């Protein structure tokens, strides 16, 4: 069922439109909602997603999806941009490497917003792609204020939410990984949304290493 969903053209190409819909509603509420009027800071917007949500977040920030695997067929190569210029920054948990079903090597060249990627050495991707490919794909991102946090032994479910997703994606490392995920995300968003450069400077191995515990026993922070 998931395999069909991730190759469904309407689903894959339509998901960034869901982000656009949310921002459109937020803009309307900022103008005329009885409780929210003039209370939303639409100049500081982050999109955060895990797994298929990471794809959605990356596409909304300028990564161009591959058409090659979509059904019904949409052609080959890269789709037009699905980015929304109102997004300030992105956090992609388990961001994809090139390969079916989402991206080609050239997909990442058009990333237009700062992105924090977080993954781990046991974070398997669909198909035969090894976990390390997620980290290696970071080299394809354009130079900018990007960061990539790599956690030893963290699996795919370690980055799921604390509700239904974590029950559907059981993890042996979620409890150990989450303190680092939360700290890195907070530092990145303080930096990108609030302009706190000191927070950006703290997004490194030295600051995150004291949070290591259990099976997640090493952390690296890559920069581009």
């Amino acid at each position: 069922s998931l395999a069909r969903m991730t190759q469904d053209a309407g689903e894959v190409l339509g998901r960034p439109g869901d982000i656009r819909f949310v921002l459109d509603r937020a803009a309307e509420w900022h103008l005329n909602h009885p409780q929210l009027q003039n209370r939303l800071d639409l100049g500081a917007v982050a999109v955060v997603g895990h797994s298929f949500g990471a794809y959605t977040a990356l596409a909304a920030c300028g990564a161009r999806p591959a058409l090659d695997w979509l059904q019904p067929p949409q052609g080959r190569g890269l789709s037009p941009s699905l980015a929304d210029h109102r997004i300030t920054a992105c956090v992609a948990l388990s961001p994809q490497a090139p390969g079916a079903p989402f991206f080609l090597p050239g997909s990442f060249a058009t990333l237009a917003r700062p992105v924090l990627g977080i993954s781990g050495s046991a974070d398997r991707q669909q198909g035969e792609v090894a976990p390390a490919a997620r980290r290696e794909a970071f080299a394809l991102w354009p130079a900018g204020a990007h960061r990539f946090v790599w956690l030893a032994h963290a699996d795919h479910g370690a980055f799921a939410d604390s509700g239904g997703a974590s029950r559907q994606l059981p993890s042996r490392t979620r409890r150990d990984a989450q303190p680092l995920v939360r700290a890195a995300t907070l530092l990145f968003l303080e930096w990108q949304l609030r302009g706190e450069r000191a927070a950006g400077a703290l997004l490194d191995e030295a600051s995150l290493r004291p949070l290591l515990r259990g099976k997640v026993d090493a952390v690296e922070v890559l920069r581009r």
Side-chain angles (χ1 to χ4, degrees):
S1 185
L2 179 61
R4 289 194 301 271
M5 184 187 301
T6 57
Q7 294 179 359
D8 182 271
E11 181 76 18
V12 172
L13 299 179
R15 274 182 165 238
D18 294 339
I19 305 297
R20 187 161 51 251
F21 174 83
V22 169
L23 293 177
D24 287 345
R25 298 293 80 73
E28 291 177 8
W29 296 340
H30 182 65
L31 291 176
N32 55 36
H33 192 279
Q35 283 80 44
L36 297 177
Q37 188 175 18
N38 297 321
R39 296 179 64 85
L40 301 178
D41 184 358
L42 297 176
V45 173
V47 58
V48 182
H50 171 241
S51 195
F52 203 172
Y55 153 77
T56 306
L58 290 170
C61 288
R64 293 168 61 193
L67 300 175
D68 300 50
W69 303 287
L70 298 181
Q71 297 295 329
Q74 304 291 307
R76 298 187 64 82
L78 301 179
S79 83
S81 175
L82 303 175
D84 193 305
H85 70 276
R86 295 169 293 184
I87 297 170
T88 307
C90 166
V91 179
L93 305 169
S94 302
Q96 288 80 13
F102 295 129
F103 293 124
L104 297 172
S107 293
F108 306 101
T110 48
L111 274 173
R113 293 294 183 266
V115 178
L116 170 66
I118 309 180
S119 185
S121 62
D123 187 0
R124 300 196 177 280
Q125 185 167 313
Q126 284 181 277
E128 302 300 318
V129 181
R134 297 185 192 269
R135 171 182 168 164
E136 293 161 3
F138 185 60
L140 300 173
W141 297 12
H146 306 305
R147 298 292 185 270
F148 198 99
V149 176
W150 182 252
L151 303 178
H153 308 121
D155 55 42
H156 194 64
F159 308 107
D161 66 32
S162 60
S166 62
R167 289 194 294 272
Q168 296 298 319
L169 297 169
S171 169
R172 299 179 61 194
T173 57
R174 187 177 190 280
R175 186 182 298 273
D176 297 334
Q178 280 296 306
L180 292 112
V181 172
R182 295 175 185 183
T185 299
L186 180 60
L187 288 170
F188 184 75
L189 295 182
E190 290 278 3
W191 173 29
Q192 294 299 328
L193 300 188
R194 293 184 172 174
E196 298 288 346
R197 294 191 177 187
L202 287 172
L203 185 48
D204 60 12
E205 289 99 339
S207 297
L208 296 178
R209 201 172 288 124
L211 299 175
L212 293 171
R213 66 185 192 186
K215 295 180 177 67
V216 179
D217 57 7
V219 57
E220 294 180 69
V221 179
L222 311 179
R223 298 168 178 247
R224 280 192 68 75

